[in-house]
Amino acid sequence: MNAGHDTAPLPVRLEDFAGPARRALPPEVWDFIAGGSGEELTLAANRAALDRIRLVPRVLSGSGAPDTTAELPGGRAALPVAVAPMAYQRLLHPEGELATARAAAAAGVPFTLSTLSSVPVEEVTALGGVTWFQLYCQRDPGLTAELVRRAEDAGCAAVMVTVDVPSMGRRLRDLRNGFALPAGVAAAHLDPATTRRAAERRSGTCAVAEHTAESFARTLGWDDLARLREQTELPLIVKGILDPGDAATATAVGADAVVVSNHGGRQLDGAVASADMLPAVREAVPPSCRLLLDSGIRGGTDVLKALALGADGVLLGRPVLWGLASDGAEGVSRVLGLLAAELRSALELSGCAAPADAPWLTTLGAGR
Ligand SMILES: Cc1cc2nc3c(=O)[nH]c(=O)nc-3n(C[C@H](O)[C@H](O)[C@H](O)COP(=O)(O)O)c2cc1C
């Protein structure tokens, strides 16, 4: 049916959703989601690191069709995958985060809602899936505490605090485009006056960077993490760690899980690929600390590589946005369905009956 020249080819890998997404979006919105910081060295390094890793499959394991379920913070998921927190999804589709969350719920994977969501948390949790709330600590600690309480009251299953954004990385595409949120897209959890002021002030700069600079806490320390730990009984996930010592400190302070991440190459350009740090981070934290990896995950074999290197799961980032931009909730469902099929195949072909078997695989090319 799709073999003709005038029909779009059937997507057979996650990257196949990028073209339709790019065609559906204004160029500056495409740049906002696709871009990294600086020369985009870290953005490229994320893929290079995952591509370099090689797996040694096992045979005659007698395992049959694999079970893909995995234990993640807040409960068991259909896949060792959660949707990464990504801001302002109404930029991509009128339904925004509601569409993404609906597709994640249907796929049985947690959806992480950003502090910079364009839809309020209560509307997302009302859909009934598993929602994690991603927290950007605010300058005013009272506002941070309020956000945490709001996420709890709305029924979120975990709090994921992002610690790699003391300020926003220099995203050159956004600076060149003078990127600003269009009318009708706003940060649903922040004071609208902040966003409006930043949009008015913008000149030769990026309005999103300006309003985050105005509202985010810039001088966070480990004490703040300890305070946050005391503020909630929900599982606490710390996102944006690359250094094994930082990961060990985060768990000592009470983090239940750590996301090894360089923010998809959007923060420090020249930062190491997150996959390269995963083995050292795994060694540095106790077995009870769950590890998630993101930055560059583009398919089922990437998920298997992350599991083999000691992760309990991954966060899926930009491919979800490609699905959302190309076809709303249906597009995200197709992305997640394709990833599930790829992971089942990768597990079976490597002789793993389940994600929990992956750490026994030998890997080459991983690490520093
Ligand atoms: C458009 C966009 C918006 C993002 N917004 C947030 C955010 O609000 N909070 C956050 O912690 N991370 C945010 N991230 C980072 C993602 O959570 C994740 O770390 C990153 O996308 C992983 O890289 P990948 O997309 O290349 O796989 C964002 C990423 C993108 C692409």
Side-chain angles (χ1 to χ4, degrees):
M1 192 167 89
N2 278 288
H5 293 293
D6 49 356
T7 53
L10 193 69
V12 290
R13 55 179 198 137
L14 270 53
E15 301 269 358
D16 290 344
F17 288 86
R22 185 174 192 158
R23 286 191 288 279
L25 293 174
E28 69 279 8
V29 174
W30 169 258
D31 276 347
F32 172 68
I33 70 166
S37 55
E39 301 304 320
E40 303 189 340
L41 298 175
T42 296
L43 182 66
N46 287 334
R47 275 310 317 158
L50 283 160
D51 284 342
R52 199 175 62 239
I53 295 164
R54 295 285 183 263
L55 295 159
V56 183
R58 303 301 303 266
V59 297
L60 299 176
S61 65
S63 46
D67 164 17
T68 59
T69 62
E71 202 58 44
L72 295 181
R76 204 150 184 87
L79 301 170
V81 174
V83 173
M86 288 175 288
Y88 305 122
Q89 295 182 18
R90 277 199 163 137
L91 280 170
L92 309 176
H93 188 273
E95 284 191 293
E97 286 83 356
L98 291 174
T100 315
R102 204 163 348 105
V109 302
F111 169 73
T112 316
L113 185 77
S114 170
T115 291
L116 297 179
S117 165
S118 48
V119 171
V121 60
E122 296 79 8
E123 289 183 31
V124 170
T125 51
L127 296 171
V130 173
T131 307
W132 297 346
F133 186 79
Q134 179 266 326
L135 179 70
Y136 278 129
C137 290
Q138 304 293 298
R139 282 188 175 207
D140 172 357
L143 285 182
T144 306
E146 222 172 86
L147 280 173
V148 172
R149 221 172 14 250
R150 191 168 162 186
E152 284 177 338
D153 290 349
C156 290
V159 171
M160 177 188 287
V161 59
T162 298
V163 294
D164 59 2
V165 187
S167 59
M168 199 173 267
R170 286 180 55 77
R171 306 184 187 155
L172 304 189
R173 301 193 204 202
D174 296 344
L175 292 171
R176 288 189 186 110
N177 293 333
F179 182 64
L181 294 178
V185 181
H189 304 112
L190 299 188
D191 174 8
T194 316
T195 340
R196 209 171 38 243
R197 267 198 309 275
E200 284 160 9
R201 208 179 37 235
R202 162 181 72 100
S203 61
T205 176
C206 161
V208 174
E210 289 230 1
H211 80 247
T212 54
E214 201 163 316
S215 57
F216 290 8
R218 197 167 196 166
T219 56
L220 288 179
W222 292 108
D223 289 354
D224 298 290
L225 188 64
R227 207 162 308 122
L228 181 61
R229 174 67 292 178
E230 284 167 12
Q231 276 169 11
T232 183
E233 308 231 313
L234 290 176
L236 182 63
I237 309 170
V238 180
K239 172 173 183 275
I241 284 186
L242 293 166
D243 183 272
D246 281 348
T249 310
T251 51
V253 171
D256 300 287
V258 164
V259 186
V260 182
S261 166
N262 56 36
H263 215 103
R266 292 162 78 83
Q267 286 300 102
L268 175 68
D269 194 32
V272 67
S274 52
D276 278 340
M277 294 311 296
L278 186 54
V281 171
R282 181 72 276 175
E283 272 181 31
V285 298
S288 58
C289 173
R290 296 205 185 278
L291 280 188
L292 301 169
L293 177 82
D294 81 13
S295 300
I297 299 293
R298 298 291 180 267
T301 54
D302 293 334
V303 181
L304 182 60
K305 286 173 181 178
L307 298 172
L309 296 175
D312 297 282
V314 303
L315 302 185
L316 189 65
R318 290 178 178 90
V320 169
L321 300 182
W322 301 336
L324 178 64
S326 55
D327 200 9
E330 178 57 27
V332 177
S333 286
R334 285 160 74 206
V335 165
L336 293 173
L338 189 50
L339 185 65
E342 289 178 349
L343 178 62
R344 274 194 300 276
S345 167
L347 286 168
E348 184 165 17
L349 296 180
S350 62
C352 294
D357 291 343
W360 281 280
L361 295 174
T362 299
T363 59
L364 301 180
R368 295 178 279 177

